Amino acid sequence: TGQSFSHPEIYDVLASRGCVSSCSYCMACQWNTMLKQFGVNFPRVRLRSPQSVIDELHFAKKEYGIKVVRFKDSIFGFDEEWLFRFMDLYDKKIGLQFLCFLDVRYSSEKVIKRLYASGLSNTTVGIQSADEEIRKKVFNRNIRDKEIITYAENLIKNKIQIKYELINWNPFESSLSLEKGLRFLTRLPKA
């Protein structure tokens, strides 16, 4: 809702810019390619130091009385070493409930457990297409149905609420792919 989008006690922050993934439909991984034509050498992904993010959050907590942090990174915590250093600082200095976007390719059960222990309450499971072939060949997301199911089960098992994200009625779908996708969706744990 609009209210949750702009709630004064929710603070939006970026720990990184760009994306390590290369999904065909997403802008986050395209900056480097777009800016190269203008002679700009833009890294594919830029990751802030853990302390830089903590300093910003500490200021926001003190000055604005925030209660929830919403990490707006395309994929939060894709660098596991960075993530664990950051979460140690976050626990000591911030300690607030938070939300973030994760990705099955970068979120082991160890990462999921750590995020929950530090206050992750919910996340989004990006499926994009319920048809595995469209997901792979069109959206450049080489993630198998089985991986998504296991990932969603791990999130739920670790008490993290989830919602599923699909690009519905895209022009690449057919009656057959929609039927296959529906069978896949019925295998997912309830969000």
Side-chain angles (χ1 to χ4, degrees), residues 102-169:
L102 300 174
D103 188 298
V104 61
R105 298 165 288 184
Y106 304 97
S107 301
S108 65
E109 187 161 5
K110 177 181 164 187
V111 165
I112 292 168
K113 285 177 187 279
R114 180 65 171 92
L115 291 171
Y116 176 74
S118 294
L120 177 62
S121 58
N122 63 60
T123 191
T124 300
V125 176
I127 298 171
Q128 279 57 48
S129 176
D131 183 285
E132 189 174 301
E133 289 301 307
I134 291 174
R135 192 180 318 125
K136 180 179 178 180
K137 292 179 180 172
V138 176
F139 294 142
N140 202 25
R141 290 179 61 86
N142 193 14
I143 305 169
R144 297 177 48 209
D145 291 349
K146 185 173 135 182
E147 292 172 301
I148 293 171
I149 292 167
T150 301
Y151 173 61
E153 288 170 346
N154 279 336
L155 289 167
I156 289 170
K157 179 174 79 176
N158 286 286
K159 301 180 180 102
I160 297 172
Q161 295 177 27
I162 58 175
K163 69 176 180 174
Y164 296 110
E165 185 176 80
L166 291 158
I167 300 172
N168 293 320
W169 305 110

Side-chain angles (χ1 to χ4, degrees), residues 78-121:
F78 62 86
D79 180 321
E80 194 170 300
E81 181 183 333
W82 181 95
L83 179 67
F84 281 83
R85 281 188 325 191
F86 175 77
M87 295 318 301
D88 288 344
L89 290 169
Y90 188 87
D91 291 347
K92 288 177 193 163
K93 300 188 177 193
I94 307 302
L96 296 174
Q97 176 189 0
F98 66 96
L99 317 168
C100 66
F101 296 112
L102 300 174
D103 188 298
V104 61
R105 298 165 288 184
Y106 304 97
S107 301
S108 65
E109 187 161 5
K110 177 181 164 187
V111 165
I112 292 168
K113 285 177 187 279
R114 180 65 171 92
L115 291 171
Y116 176 74
S118 294
L120 177 62
S121 58

Side-chain angles (χ1 to χ4, degrees), residues 3-11 60 64-68 70:
Q3 184 180 19
S4 66
F5 181 75
S6 63
H7 195 284
E9 293 181 341
I10 298 174
Y11 187 77
Y64 307 126
I66 63 170
K67 303 287 187 233
V68 176
R70 187 166 43 194

